Amino acid sequence: MDWHEWHADYDRPGSGLARRLRAVQAQVEAALDDSPPGPLRVLSLCAGQGRDLLEVLADHPRRHDVRARLVELDPRNAAIAEAAARAAGLTGVEVLVADASLTDHYRDLAPADLVLVCGVFGNITDEDIERTVEHCAALCRTGGTVIWTRHRGAPDRVPLICEWFEDRGFHRHWLSDPDAGFGAAAHRLHADPRPLTAGVRMFTFVGRPEDAFEDSAADTSEDADE
């Protein structure tokens, strides 16, 4: 999978990725709006080009309150995110070219007010999804929000992922409609955050999911997660 080329579908009007991006951005904006006054910390795992966060922050009144770390392994995508942050004057945004699965990259900013795990759960095993959800309870502060995505192709794991979050002290704040053509959700932590263990790999990508759809002919279903 060429994750740089994959991002082109974000610019295709009506595509599953474009619609999912708008839905996620709306939840990012809501999370920022609902956050208490003062400094805000944001973590983005497998951030890609950072569109979900950066396009919201560019015009948001809390933009200068935010210290964000976007972790992305593909240097081409990271360079685009870095350029977008600098062009928008987002001095509190750091783009780190690194393996986003490693907990060490987040220890100094966790627990955060907002955690983005978008485009991850469609590319890892069920065991790794649950392990990552477990770590989200350490990455996120009490009252903070985790926004995540997962395609709804068979087997539809979205209901199970919701259960895993809710078993760990999260409350479901928003979930996309089952017929939206994509899966996305926002969960808020109502428990105390757990300690974040150093030196842990949360997940390993297994490649393009066989049960995700190409929607080049009809933009009614979600493209593969990233």
Side-chain angles (χ1 to χ4, degrees):
M1 172 60 66
D2 185 327
W3 294 119
H4 180 263
E5 292 297 325
W6 178 88
H7 278 74
D9 279 341
Y10 277 125
D11 297 317
R12 189 154 53 90
S15 72
L17 283 180
R19 289 183 285 110
R20 190 187 78 180
L21 176 62
R22 290 193 297 271
V24 168
Q25 287 176 333
Q27 294 306 309
V28 170
E29 184 172 13
L32 294 173
D33 290 344
D34 293 345
S35 293
L40 298 174
R41 291 179 289 186
V42 180
L43 299 172
S44 181
L45 287 64
C46 299
Q49 296 173 3
R51 299 185 185 201
D52 46 11
L53 176 65
L54 299 179
E55 292 179 8
V56 175
L57 275 184
D59 298 315
H60 198 276
R62 302 294 304 275
R63 63 199 305 270
H64 294 303
D65 293 335
V66 171
R67 181 184 175 195
R69 179 170 298 156
L70 284 63
V71 185
E72 167 59 33
L73 187 60
D74 189 307
R76 299 166 298 172
N77 287 331
I80 291 171
E82 178 74 27
R86 300 292 80 82
L90 299 172
T91 57
V93 172
E94 171 193 7
V95 180
L96 180 63
V97 180
D99 184 347
S101 72
L102 302 177
T103 58
D104 287 352
H105 298 315
Y106 311 103
R107 291 182 65 205
D108 59 325
L109 286 183
D113 299 271
L114 175 61
V115 179
L116 300 175
V117 193
C118 297
V120 177
F121 292 161
N123 295 289
I124 63 180
T125 65
D126 288 356
E127 292 79 9
D128 277 2
I129 295 174
E130 187 170 13
R131 181 180 300 110
T132 304
V133 170
E134 182 83 25
H135 283 91
C136 283
L139 293 172
C140 187
R141 70 162 179 84
T142 303
T145 302
V146 176
I147 300 173
W148 57 273
T149 64
R150 158 78 189 207
H151 63 83
R152 302 211 70 158
D156 183 0
R157 291 290 187 249
V158 168
L160 182 58
I161 297 170
C162 286
E163 289 182 16
W164 285 336
F165 270 100
E166 290 149 22
D167 286 345
R168 289 160 175 83
F170 288 89
H171 290 188
R172 191 183 312 180
H173 179 69
W174 172 81
L175 177 63
S176 59
D177 190 277
D179 298 325
F182 57 86
H187 275 83
R188 291 186 175 173
L189 184 63
H190 285 253
D192 291 334
R194 304 180 182 189
L196 183 63
T197 306
V200 173
R201 179 179 295 278
M202 294 180 280
F203 56 83
T204 300
F205 265 42
V206 294
R208 185 181 180 87
E210 294 179 358
D211 52 3
F213 304 108
E214 289 287 358
D215 61 355
S216 56
D219 295 324
T220 58
S221 59
E222 183 188 14
D223 294 280
D225 277 351
E226 184 248 348

